[in-house]
Amino acid sequence: MTKRALVIIDLINDYLDHWSTDKVARLIGETNTLAVAFREAGLPVIWVRQEFRPDLSDAFLEMRDKNLKIAIEGTSGAQLHAGLNWEPGDTIIVKKRYSAFFRTELEDILSAMGVDELVLCGINTHACIRMAAIDAYQRDLRVVLAEECIDSYDAEHGRVSVDYMNGKIAKVATVPEIIQALRPLHESRAVKAVSSFDATQDFGACEAR
């Protein structure tokens, strides 16, 4: 049986403060809906956020080269947005690069939990979401992109990234479709005809590019 985990990436104050109120409200509302559904199904909710030292010694090259101080440890900007439905029992991972897997404990945590499919939410689609999806796929994890819960400040590259990932290394699904797939098997069978989301789709058969 597939065991899923919800992984929510970089919904922190310093990033969301630059987004429109409408976009932030949508991202937070839809992400919270999934977080509640995963907890009700007894499945893990994992929050991933960036955080860097004030001297940027652990930051990536662009930040160091341009002295970009954002998501600095000890500041409110590096914290999860207050509107998010976070609970003490959730897992929080701090990352230093685009990928949630790069030099973090995420892979070990997922392995210990027996997770074999990730549902990804967060920003930015063309950068951190794409990197997490690719790295998950390279670890033989199935990946679902929550359509209403991902976004990018760069709309064009976000769209191109979704087009590249969908049907190859990931599956795009809506929040209602994802929640439907979390229901017990006997319930899922009863409503299968109204949902096009196949959580067991074999992505490995997709052609390499």
Side-chain angles (χ1 to χ4, degrees), residues 19-75:
W19 290 52
S20 72
T21 302
D22 288 346
K23 273 192 175 185
V24 172
R26 175 182 59 79
L27 279 171
I28 290 177
E30 298 287 359
T31 298
N32 285 346
T33 297
L34 281 184
V36 170
F38 268 72
R39 292 194 199 100
E40 289 179 347
L43 296 173
V45 177
I46 300 172
W47 304 87
V48 181
R49 63 181 180 87
Q50 286 190 322
E51 178 181 281
F52 306 102
R53 298 184 189 126
D55 64 2
L56 302 182
S57 58
D58 59 346
F60 49 86
L61 289 176
E62 181 186 14
M63 293 182 67
R64 282 181 272 163
D65 291 345
K66 298 179 180 179
N67 196 34
L68 298 175
K69 295 197 174 183
I70 192 168
I72 300 301
E73 64 183 16
T75 69

CSV table of all heavy atoms in Angstrom, one decimal, residues 19-75:
chain,number,residue,atom,x,y,z
A,19,TRP,N,4.8,38.7,-2.1
A,19,TRP,CA,3.8,38.2,-3.0
A,19,TRP,C,2.5,38.9,-2.7
A,19,TRP,O,2.3,39.5,-1.7
A,19,TRP,CB,3.6,36.7,-2.7
A,19,TRP,CG,4.7,35.8,-3.2
A,19,TRP,CD1,6.0,36.0,-3.0
A,19,TRP,CD2,4.6,34.7,-4.1
A,19,TRP,NE1,6.8,35.1,-3.6
A,19,TRP,CE2,6.0,34.2,-4.2
A,19,TRP,CE3,3.6,34.0,-4.6
A,19,TRP,CZ2,6.3,33.1,-5.0
A,19,TRP,CZ3,3.9,32.9,-5.4
A,19,TRP,CH2,5.2,32.4,-5.6
A,20,SER,N,1.6,38.9,-3.7
A,20,SER,CA,0.3,39.5,-3.5
A,20,SER,C,-0.5,38.8,-2.4
A,20,SER,O,-0.4,37.6,-2.2
A,20,SER,CB,-0.5,39.5,-4.8
A,20,SER,OG,-1.0,38.2,-5.1
A,21,THR,N,-1.4,39.6,-1.8
A,21,THR,CA,-2.2,39.1,-0.7
A,21,THR,C,-3.1,37.9,-1.2
A,21,THR,O,-3.3,36.9,-0.5
A,21,THR,CB,-3.1,40.2,-0.2
A,21,THR,OG1,-2.3,41.3,0.3
A,21,THR,CG2,-4.0,39.7,1.0
A,22,ASP,N,-3.6,38.0,-2.4
A,22,ASP,CA,-4.5,37.0,-3.0
A,22,ASP,C,-3.7,35.7,-3.2
A,22,ASP,O,-4.2,34.6,-2.8
A,22,ASP,CB,-5.1,37.4,-4.3
A,22,ASP,CG,-6.1,38.5,-4.2
A,22,ASP,OD1,-6.6,38.7,-3.0
A,22,ASP,OD2,-6.5,39.2,-5.2
A,23,LYS,N,-2.5,35.8,-3.7
A,23,LYS,CA,-1.7,34.6,-3.9
A,23,LYS,C,-1.3,33.9,-2.6
A,23,LYS,O,-1.4,32.7,-2.5
A,23,LYS,CB,-0.4,34.9,-4.7
A,23,LYS,CG,-0.5,34.9,-6.2
A,23,LYS,CD,0.9,35.0,-6.8
A,23,LYS,CE,0.8,34.8,-8.3
A,23,LYS,NZ,2.1,34.8,-8.9
A,24,VAL,N,-0.9,34.7,-1.6
A,24,VAL,CA,-0.6,34.2,-0.3
A,24,VAL,C,-1.8,33.5,0.3
A,24,VAL,O,-1.7,32.4,0.9
A,24,VAL,CB,0.0,35.3,0.6
A,24,VAL,CG1,0.2,34.7,2.0
A,24,VAL,CG2,1.3,35.8,0.0
A,25,ALA,N,-2.9,34.1,0.2
A,25,ALA,CA,-4.1,33.5,0.8
A,25,ALA,C,-4.5,32.2,0.2
A,25,ALA,O,-4.9,31.2,0.9
A,25,ALA,CB,-5.3,34.5,0.7
A,26,ARG,N,-4.4,32.1,-1.1
A,26,ARG,CA,-4.7,30.9,-1.8
A,26,ARG,C,-3.7,29.8,-1.4
A,26,ARG,O,-4.1,28.7,-1.1
A,26,ARG,CB,-4.6,31.1,-3.4
A,26,ARG,CG,-4.8,29.8,-4.2
A,26,ARG,CD,-4.7,30.0,-5.7
A,26,ARG,NE,-3.4,30.6,-6.0
A,26,ARG,CZ,-2.3,29.9,-6.2
A,26,ARG,NH1,-2.3,28.6,-5.9
A,26,ARG,NH2,-1.1,30.5,-6.5
A,27,LEU,N,-2.4,30.1,-1.5
A,27,LEU,CA,-1.4,29.1,-1.1
A,27,LEU,C,-1.6,28.6,0.3
A,27,LEU,O,-1.5,27.4,0.5
A,27,LEU,CB,0.0,29.7,-1.3
A,27,LEU,CG,0.6,29.8,-2.7
A,27,LEU,CD1,1.9,30.6,-2.6
A,27,LEU,CD2,0.9,28.4,-3.2
A,28,ILE,N,-1.8,29.5,1.2
A,28,ILE,CA,-1.9,29.1,2.6
A,28,ILE,C,-3.2,28.3,2.8
A,28,ILE,O,-3.2,27.2,3.5
A,28,ILE,CB,-1.9,30.3,3.5
A,28,ILE,CG1,-0.4,30.9,3.5
A,28,ILE,CG2,-2.3,30.0,4.9
A,28,ILE,CD1,-0.3,32.1,4.3
A,29,GLY,N,-4.3,28.8,2.3
A,29,GLY,CA,-5.6,28.1,2.4
A,29,GLY,C,-5.6,26.7,1.9
A,29,GLY,O,-6.0,25.7,2.6
A,30,GLU,N,-5.1,26.5,0.7
A,30,GLU,CA,-5.1,25.2,0.0
A,30,GLU,C,-4.1,24.3,0.7
A,30,GLU,O,-4.4,23.1,0.9
A,30,GLU,CB,-4.8,25.3,-1.5
A,30,GLU,CG,-5.8,26.1,-2.3
A,30,GLU,CD,-7.1,25.4,-2.5
A,30,GLU,OE1,-7.2,24.2,-2.0
A,30,GLU,OE2,-8.0,25.9,-3.1
A,31,THR,N,-2.9,24.8,1.1
A,31,THR,CA,-1.9,24.0,1.8
A,31,THR,C,-2.5,23.5,3.2
A,31,THR,O,-2.3,22.4,3.6
A,31,THR,CB,-0.6,24.8,2.0
A,31,THR,OG1,-0.1,25.2,0.7
A,31,THR,CG2,0.4,24.0,2.8
A,32,ASN,N,-3.2,24.4,3.9
A,32,ASN,CA,-3.7,24.0,5.2
A,32,ASN,C,-4.8,22.9,5.0
A,32,ASN,O,-4.9,22.0,5.8
A,32,ASN,CB,-4.4,25.2,5.8
A,32,ASN,CG,-3.4,26.2,6.4
A,32,ASN,OD1,-2.2,25.8,6.6
A,32,ASN,ND2,-3.8,27.4,6.8
A,33,THR,N,-5.5,23.0,3.9
A,33,THR,CA,-6.5,22.0,3.6
A,33,THR,C,-5.9,20.6,3.5
A,33,THR,O,-6.3,19.6,4.1
A,33,THR,CB,-7.3,22.3,2.4
A,33,THR,OG1,-8.0,23.5,2.5
A,33,THR,CG2,-8.3,21.2,2.0
A,34,LEU,N,-4.8,20.5,2.8
A,34,LEU,CA,-4.0,19.3,2.6
A,34,LEU,C,-3.4,18.8,4.0
A,34,LEU,O,-3.4,17.6,4.3
A,34,LEU,CB,-3.0,19.4,1.6
A,34,LEU,CG,-3.4,19.3,0.1
A,34,LEU,CD1,-2.2,19.4,-0.8
A,34,LEU,CD2,-4.2,18.1,-0.1
A,35,ALA,N,-2.8,19.8,4.7
A,35,ALA,CA,-2.2,19.4,6.0
A,35,ALA,C,-3.2,18.8,6.9
A,35,ALA,O,-2.9,17.7,7.6
A,35,ALA,CB,-1.6,20.7,6.6
A,36,VAL,N,-4.4,19.3,7.0
A,36,VAL,CA,-5.4,18.7,7.9
A,36,VAL,C,-5.8,17.3,7.3
A,36,VAL,O,-5.9,16.4,8.1
A,36,VAL,CB,-6.7,19.6,7.9
A,36,VAL,CG1,-7.9,18.9,8.6
A,36,VAL,CG2,-6.4,20.9,8.6
A,37,ALA,N,-6.0,17.2,6.0
A,37,ALA,CA,-6.3,15.9,5.5
A,37,ALA,C,-5.3,14.8,5.7
A,37,ALA,O,-5.6,13.7,6.0
A,37,ALA,CB,-6.6,16.1,4.0
A,38,PHE,N,-4.0,15.2,5.6
A,38,PHE,CA,-3.0,14.2,5.8
A,38,PHE,C,-2.9,13.8,7.3
A,38,PHE,O,-2.8,12.6,7.6
A,38,PHE,CB,-1.6,14.8,5.4
A,38,PHE,CG,-1.2,14.5,4.0
A,38,PHE,CD1,-1.9,15.1,2.9
A,38,PHE,CD2,-0.2,13.6,3.7
A,38,PHE,CE1,-1.6,14.8,1.6
A,38,PHE,CE2,0.1,13.3,2.4
A,38,PHE,CZ,-0.5,13.9,1.4
A,39,ARG,N,-3.1,14.8,8.2
A,39,ARG,CA,-3.1,14.4,9.6
A,39,ARG,C,-4.3,13.5,9.9
A,39,ARG,O,-4.1,12.5,10.7
A,39,ARG,CB,-3.1,15.6,10.5
A,39,ARG,CG,-1.9,16.4,10.4
A,39,ARG,CD,-1.8,17.5,11.6
A,39,ARG,NE,-0.9,18.5,11.3
A,39,ARG,CZ,-1.2,19.7,10.8
A,39,ARG,NH1,-2.4,20.0,10.6
A,39,ARG,NH2,-0.2,20.6,10.5
A,40,GLU,N,-5.4,13.8,9.4
A,40,GLU,CA,-6.6,12.9,9.6
A,40,GLU,C,-6.4,11.5,9.1
A,40,GLU,O,-7.0,10.6,9.6
A,40,GLU,CB,-7.8,13.6,9.0
A,40,GLU,CG,-8.3,14.9,9.7
A,40,GLU,CD,-9.5,15.5,9.0
A,40,GLU,OE1,-9.8,15.1,7.9
A,40,GLU,OE2,-10.1,16.4,9.6
A,41,ALA,N,-5.6,11.4,8.0
A,41,ALA,CA,-5.3,10.1,7.5
A,41,ALA,C,-4.1,9.4,8.2
A,41,ALA,O,-3.8,8.3,7.8
A,41,ALA,CB,-5.0,10.2,6.0
A,42,GLY,N,-3.6,10.1,9.2
A,42,GLY,CA,-2.5,9.5,10.0
A,42,GLY,C,-1.2,9.5,9.2
A,42,GLY,O,-0.3,8.7,9.4
A,43,LEU,N,-1.0,10.5,8.2
A,43,LEU,CA,0.1,10.6,7.4
A,43,LEU,C,1.0,11.8,7.8
A,43,LEU,O,0.5,12.8,8.3
A,43,LEU,CB,-0.3,10.7,5.9
A,43,LEU,CG,-1.0,9.4,5.4
A,43,LEU,CD1,-1.5,9.7,4.0
A,43,LEU,CD2,-0.1,8.2,5.4
A,44,PRO,N,2.3,11.7,7.5
A,44,PRO,CA,3.2,12.8,8.0
A,44,PRO,C,3.1,14.1,7.2
A,44,PRO,O,2.9,14.1,6.0
A,44,PRO,CB,4.6,12.2,7.8
A,44,PRO,CG,4.4,11.1,6.8
A,44,PRO,CD,3.0,10.5,7.0
A,45,VAL,N,3.3,15.2,7.9
A,45,VAL,CA,3.3,16.5,7.3
A,45,VAL,C,4.7,17.1,7.7
A,45,VAL,O,5.1,17.1,8.8
A,45,VAL,CB,2.2,17.4,7.9
A,45,VAL,CG1,2.4,18.8,7.3
A,45,VAL,CG2,0.9,16.9,7.6
A,46,ILE,N,5.5,17.4,6.6
A,46,ILE,CA,6.8,17.9,6.8
A,46,ILE,C,7.0,19.3,6.2
A,46,ILE,O,6.7,19.5,5.0
A,46,ILE,CB,7.8,16.9,6.0
A,46,ILE,CG1,7.7,15.5,6.6
A,46,ILE,CG2,9.2,17.4,6.1
A,46,ILE,CD1,8.4,14.4,5.8
A,47,TRP,N,7.5,20.2,7.0
A,47,TRP,CA,7.7,21.6,6.6
A,47,TRP,C,9.2,21.8,6.3
A,47,TRP,O,10.0,21.4,7.2
A,47,TRP,CB,7.2,22.5,7.7
A,47,TRP,CG,5.8,22.3,8.1
A,47,TRP,CD1,5.3,21.5,9.0
A,47,TRP,CD2,4.7,23.0,7.5
A,47,TRP,NE1,3.9,21.6,9.1
A,47,TRP,CE2,3.5,22.5,8.2
A,47,TRP,CE3,4.5,24.0,6.6
A,47,TRP,CZ2,2.2,23.0,7.9
A,47,TRP,CZ3,3.3,24.5,6.3
A,47,TRP,CH2,2.1,24.0,6.9
A,48,VAL,N,9.5,22.3,5.2
A,48,VAL,CA,10.9,22.6,4.8
A,48,VAL,C,11.1,24.1,4.7
A,48,VAL,O,10.3,24.8,4.0
A,48,VAL,CB,11.3,21.9,3.5
A,48,VAL,CG1,12.8,22.2,3.2
A,48,VAL,CG2,11.0,20.4,3.7
A,49,ARG,N,12.1,24.7,5.3
A,49,ARG,CA,12.3,26.1,5.2
A,49,ARG,C,13.8,26.4,5.1
A,49,ARG,O,14.6,25.7,5.6
A,49,ARG,CB,11.7,26.9,6.4
A,49,ARG,CG,12.3,26.6,7.7
A,49,ARG,CD,11.6,27.3,8.8
A,49,ARG,NE,12.2,27.0,10.1
A,49,ARG,CZ,13.2,27.7,10.6
A,49,ARG,NH1,13.9,28.6,9.9
A,49,ARG,NH2,13.7,27.3,11.8
A,50,GLN,N,14.1,27.5,4.4
A,50,GLN,CA,15.5,28.0,4.4
A,50,GLN,C,15.8,28.9,5.5
A,50,GLN,O,15.0,29.6,6.0
A,50,GLN,CB,15.8,28.7,3.0
A,50,GLN,CG,15.8,27.7,1.9
A,50,GLN,CD,16.3,28.4,0.6
A,50,GLN,OE1,16.0,29.6,0.3
A,50,GLN,NE2,17.1,27.7,-0.2
A,51,GLU,N,17.1,28.8,5.9
A,51,GLU,CA,17.6,29.7,7.0
A,51,GLU,C,19.1,29.8,6.9
A,51,GLU,O,19.8,28.8,6.7
A,51,GLU,CB,17.2,29.1,8.4
A,51,GLU,CG,17.7,29.9,9.5
A,51,GLU,CD,17.3,29.3,10.9
A,51,GLU,OE1,16.1,29.4,11.3
A,51,GLU,OE2,18.2,28.6,11.5
A,52,PHE,N,19.6,31.0,7.0
A,52,PHE,CA,21.0,31.2,6.8
A,52,PHE,C,21.6,32.0,8.0
A,52,PHE,O,20.9,32.8,8.6
A,52,PHE,CB,21.3,31.9,5.5
A,52,PHE,CG,20.7,31.2,4.3
A,52,PHE,CD1,19.5,31.7,3.7
A,52,PHE,CD2,21.3,30.1,3.7
A,52,PHE,CE1,18.9,31.1,2.7
A,52,PHE,CE2,20.7,29.5,2.7
A,52,PHE,CZ,19.5,30.0,2.1
A,53,ARG,N,22.9,31.8,8.2
A,53,ARG,CA,23.6,32.6,9.2
A,53,ARG,C,23.7,34.1,8.8
A,53,ARG,O,23.7,34.4,7.6
A,53,ARG,CB,25.0,32.1,9.4
A,53,ARG,CG,25.1,30.6,9.9
A,53,ARG,CD,26.5,30.2,10.2
A,53,ARG,NE,26.5,28.8,10.4
A,53,ARG,CZ,27.3,27.9,9.8
A,53,ARG,NH1,28.1,28.3,8.8
A,53,ARG,NH2,27.3,26.6,10.1
A,54,PRO,N,23.8,35.0,9.7
A,54,PRO,CA,23.9,36.4,9.4
A,54,PRO,C,25.0,36.8,8.5
A,54,PRO,O,25.0,37.7,7.7
A,54,PRO,CB,24.0,37.1,10.8
A,54,PRO,CG,23.3,36.1,11.7
A,54,PRO,CD,23.6,34.8,11.2
A,55,ASP,N,26.2,36.0,8.7
A,55,ASP,CA,27.3,36.3,7.8
A,55,ASP,C,27.3,35.6,6.5
A,55,ASP,O,28.2,35.8,5.7
A,55,ASP,CB,28.6,36.0,8.6
A,55,ASP,CG,28.8,34.5,8.9
A,55,ASP,OD1,27.9,33.7,8.4
A,55,ASP,OD2,29.8,34.1,9.5
A,56,LEU,N,26.2,34.9,6.2
A,56,LEU,CA,26.0,34.2,4.9
A,56,LEU,C,27.0,33.1,4.6
A,56,LEU,O,27.1,32.7,3.5
A,56,LEU,CB,25.9,35.2,3.8
A,56,LEU,CG,24.9,36.3,3.8
A,56,LEU,CD1,24.9,37.2,2.6
A,56,LEU,CD2,23.5,35.7,4.0
A,57,SER,N,27.7,32.7,5.7
A,57,SER,CA,28.8,31.7,5.4
A,57,SER,C,28.2,30.3,5.0
A,57,SER,O,28.9,29.5,4.4
A,57,SER,CB,29.6,31.5,6.7
A,57,SER,OG,28.8,31.1,7.8
A,58,ASP,N,26.9,30.1,5.3
A,58,ASP,CA,26.3,28.8,4.8
A,58,ASP,C,25.3,29.0,3.7
A,58,ASP,O,24.6,28.1,3.3
A,58,ASP,CB,25.6,28.2,6.0
A,58,ASP,CG,24.5,29.1,6.6
A,58,ASP,OD1,24.5,30.3,6.3
A,58,ASP,OD2,23.7,28.5,7.4
A,59,ALA,N,25.3,30.2,3.1
A,59,ALA,CA,24.4,30.6,2.0
A,59,ALA,C,24.9,30.2,0.7
A,59,ALA,O,26.1,29.9,0.5
A,59,ALA,CB,24.1,32.1,2.0
A,60,PHE,N,24.1,30.1,-0.3
A,60,PHE,CA,24.5,29.7,-1.6
A,60,PHE,C,25.2,30.9,-2.3
A,60,PHE,O,25.2,32.0,-1.9
A,60,PHE,CB,23.4,29.1,-2.5
A,60,PHE,CG,22.1,29.9,-2.6
A,60,PHE,CD1,22.0,30.9,-3.5
A,60,PHE,CD2,21.1,29.6,-1.7
A,60,PHE,CE1,20.8,31.7,-3.5
A,60,PHE,CE2,19.9,30.3,-1.8
A,60,PHE,CZ,19.7,31.4,-2.7
A,61,LEU,N,25.9,30.6,-3.5
A,61,LEU,CA,26.8,31.5,-4.1
A,61,LEU,C,26.2,32.9,-4.4
A,61,LEU,O,26.8,33.9,-4.2
A,61,LEU,CB,27.4,30.9,-5.3
A,61,LEU,CG,28.4,29.8,-5.1
A,61,LEU,CD1,28.8,29.2,-6.4
A,61,LEU,CD2,29.6,30.3,-4.3
A,62,GLU,N,25.0,32.9,-5.0
A,62,GLU,CA,24.4,34.2,-5.4
A,62,GLU,C,24.2,35.1,-4.2
A,62,GLU,O,24.5,36.3,-4.2
A,62,GLU,CB,23.1,34.0,-6.1
A,62,GLU,CG,22.4,35.3,-6.5
A,62,GLU,CD,21.0,35.1,-7.1
A,62,GLU,OE1,20.4,34.0,-6.9
A,62,GLU,OE2,20.5,36.1,-7.7
A,63,MET,N,23.8,34.5,-3.1
A,63,MET,CA,23.6,35.3,-1.9
A,63,MET,C,24.9,35.9,-1.4
A,63,MET,O,24.9,37.1,-1.0
A,63,MET,CB,22.9,34.4,-0.8
A,63,MET,CG,21.5,34.0,-1.1
A,63,MET,SD,20.8,33.0,0.3
A,63,MET,CE,20.7,34.3,1.6
A,64,ARG,N,25.9,35.1,-1.4
A,64,ARG,CA,27.2,35.6,-0.9
A,64,ARG,C,27.8,36.6,-1.9
A,64,ARG,O,28.3,37.6,-1.4
A,64,ARG,CB,28.2,34.4,-0.7
A,64,ARG,CG,28.0,33.6,0.5
A,64,ARG,CD,28.9,32.5,0.7
A,64,ARG,NE,28.5,31.2,0.0
A,64,ARG,CZ,29.3,30.2,-0.3
A,64,ARG,NH1,30.6,30.3,-0.1
A,64,ARG,NH2,28.8,29.2,-0.9
A,65,ASP,N,27.7,36.3,-3.2
A,65,ASP,CA,28.3,37.2,-4.2
A,65,ASP,C,27.6,38.6,-4.1
A,65,ASP,O,28.2,39.6,-4.3
A,65,ASP,CB,28.1,36.7,-5.6
A,65,ASP,CG,29.0,35.4,-5.8
A,65,ASP,OD1,29.9,35.2,-4.9
A,65,ASP,OD2,28.8,34.7,-6.7
A,66,LYS,N,26.3,38.6,-3.9
A,66,LYS,CA,25.5,39.9,-3.9
A,66,LYS,C,25.1,40.4,-2.5
A,66,LYS,O,24.4,41.4,-2.4
A,66,LYS,CB,24.2,39.7,-4.7
A,66,LYS,CG,24.5,39.3,-6.2
A,66,LYS,CD,23.2,39.1,-6.9
A,66,LYS,CE,23.4,38.7,-8.4
A,66,LYS,NZ,22.1,38.5,-9.1
A,67,ASN,N,25.6,39.7,-1.5
A,67,ASN,CA,25.3,40.1,-0.1
A,67,ASN,C,23.8,40.2,0.1
A,67,ASN,O,23.3,41.1,0.7
A,67,ASN,CB,26.0,41.4,0.3
A,67,ASN,CG,26.0,41.6,1.8
A,67,ASN,OD1,26.2,40.6,2.6
A,67,ASN,ND2,25.9,42.8,2.2
A,68,LEU,N,23.1,39.2,-0.4
A,68,LEU,CA,21.6,39.1,-0.2
A,68,LEU,C,21.3,38.5,1.2
A,68,LEU,O,21.5,37.3,1.4
A,68,LEU,CB,21.0,38.3,-1.3
A,68,LEU,CG,21.2,38.8,-2.8
A,68,LEU,CD1,20.7,37.8,-3.8
A,68,LEU,CD2,20.6,40.2,-2.9
A,69,LYS,N,20.8,39.3,2.0
A,69,LYS,CA,20.5,38.8,3.4
A,69,LYS,C,19.0,38.6,3.5
A,69,LYS,O,18.2,39.6,3.6
A,69,LYS,CB,21.0,39.8,4.4
A,69,LYS,CG,22.5,39.9,4.4
A,69,LYS,CD,23.1,40.5,5.7
A,69,LYS,CE,24.6,40.4,5.7
A,69,LYS,NZ,25.2,40.9,7.0
A,70,ILE,N,18.6,37.4,3.4
A,70,ILE,CA,17.2,37.0,3.4
A,70,ILE,C,17.1,35.6,4.1
A,70,ILE,O,18.0,34.8,4.1
A,70,ILE,CB,16.6,36.9,2.0
A,70,ILE,CG1,15.0,36.8,2.1
A,70,ILE,CG2,17.2,35.8,1.2
A,70,ILE,CD1,14.4,37.0,0.7
A,71,ALA,N,16.0,35.4,4.8
A,71,ALA,CA,15.8,34.2,5.6
A,71,ALA,C,17.0,34.0,6.6
A,71,ALA,O,17.5,32.9,6.7
A,71,ALA,CB,15.7,33.0,4.7
A,72,ILE,N,17.3,35.0,7.3
A,72,ILE,CA,18.4,34.9,8.3
A,72,ILE,C,17.9,34.3,9.6
A,72,ILE,O,16.8,34.7,10.1
A,72,ILE,CB,19.0,36.3,8.5
A,72,ILE,CG1,19.5,36.9,7.2
A,72,ILE,CG2,20.1,36.3,9.5
A,72,ILE,CD1,20.5,36.1,6.5
A,73,GLU,N,18.7,33.4,10.1
A,73,GLU,CA,18.3,32.7,11.4
A,73,GLU,C,18.1,33.7,12.5
A,73,GLU,O,18.8,34.8,12.6
A,73,GLU,CB,19.4,31.7,11.8
A,73,GLU,CG,20.7,32.3,12.1
A,73,GLU,CD,21.8,31.2,12.4
A,73,GLU,OE1,21.5,30.0,12.1
A,73,GLU,OE2,22.8,31.6,13.0
A,74,GLY,N,17.1,33.5,13.3
A,74,GLY,CA,16.8,34.4,14.4
A,74,GLY,C,15.9,35.5,14.1
A,74,GLY,O,15.5,36.3,15.0
A,75,THR,N,15.5,35.6,12.8
A,75,THR,CA,14.6,36.7,12.4
A,75,THR,C,13.3,36.1,12.1
A,75,THR,O,13.1,34.9,11.7
A,75,THR,CB,15.1,37.5,11.2
A,75,THR,OG1,15.1,36.6,10.0
A,75,THR,CG2,16.6,37.9,11.4
